[in-house]
């Protein structure tokens, strides 16, 4: 439903990636699992970083942080901002 709501905004392009970002609560931040976590999320990081997006968003705030981390580790600084989907709607309609 998030994708559908964001697509209501005129002139908006939404790139949906339905795949695990590899965080899984505290598992993905533990030293012994971190590398595996980042490997699991790599396809998401690649797809979400395609085309230099203005924003990166996820229904899950933890996944959103991990996606930004993966994009930045892969290619350095990203110009994208991480925002919650509802915040993106507020920005789009000037309610921010």
């Amino acid at each position: 439903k998030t994708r559908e709501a964001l697509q209501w905004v005129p002139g908006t392009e939404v790139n949906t990636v339905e795949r695990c970002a590899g965080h899984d609560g505290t598992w993905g931040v533990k030293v012994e699992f971190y590398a595996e976590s980042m490997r699991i999320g790599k396809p998401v990081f690649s797809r979400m970083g395609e085309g230099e997006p203005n924003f990166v968003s996820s229904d899950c705030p933890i996944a959103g942080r991990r996606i930004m981390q993966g994009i930045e580790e892969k290619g350095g600084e990203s110009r994208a901002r991480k925002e919650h989907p509802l915040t993106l709607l507020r920005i789009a309609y000037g309610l921010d």
Side-chain angles (χ1 to χ4, degrees):
K1 297 297 177 190
T2 298
R3 178 183 49 84
E4 292 171 16
L6 291 173
Q7 286 179 323
W8 292 335
V9 179
T12 299
E13 180 181 332
V14 179
N15 176 19
T16 304
V17 178
E18 292 189 34
R19 190 174 173 129
C20 180
H23 198 286
D24 193 27
T26 59
W27 179 83
V29 296
K30 292 181 179 179
V31 170
E32 63 267 31
F33 304 120
Y34 179 79
E36 179 68 11
S37 168
M38 294 303 280
R39 186 191 64 75
I40 290 168
K42 190 174 181 177
V44 175
F45 312 149
S46 294
R47 290 211 32 225
M48 293 292 284
E50 288 175 358
E52 297 186 26
N54 294 321
F55 296 96
V56 169
S57 187
S58 174
D59 292 332
C60 173
I62 293 172
R65 277 194 301 273
R66 177 51 56 99
I67 292 165
M68 288 302 297
Q69 182 180 18
I71 290 171
E72 289 169 0
E73 283 188 12
K74 180 183 138 213
E77 280 296 311
S78 172
R79 69 178 184 95
R81 285 178 32 201
K82 177 189 68 68
E83 298 288 353
H84 188 276
L86 293 177
T87 300
L88 292 177
L89 287 175
R90 287 186 10 240
I91 292 168
Y93 288 103
L95 302 173
D96 188 40

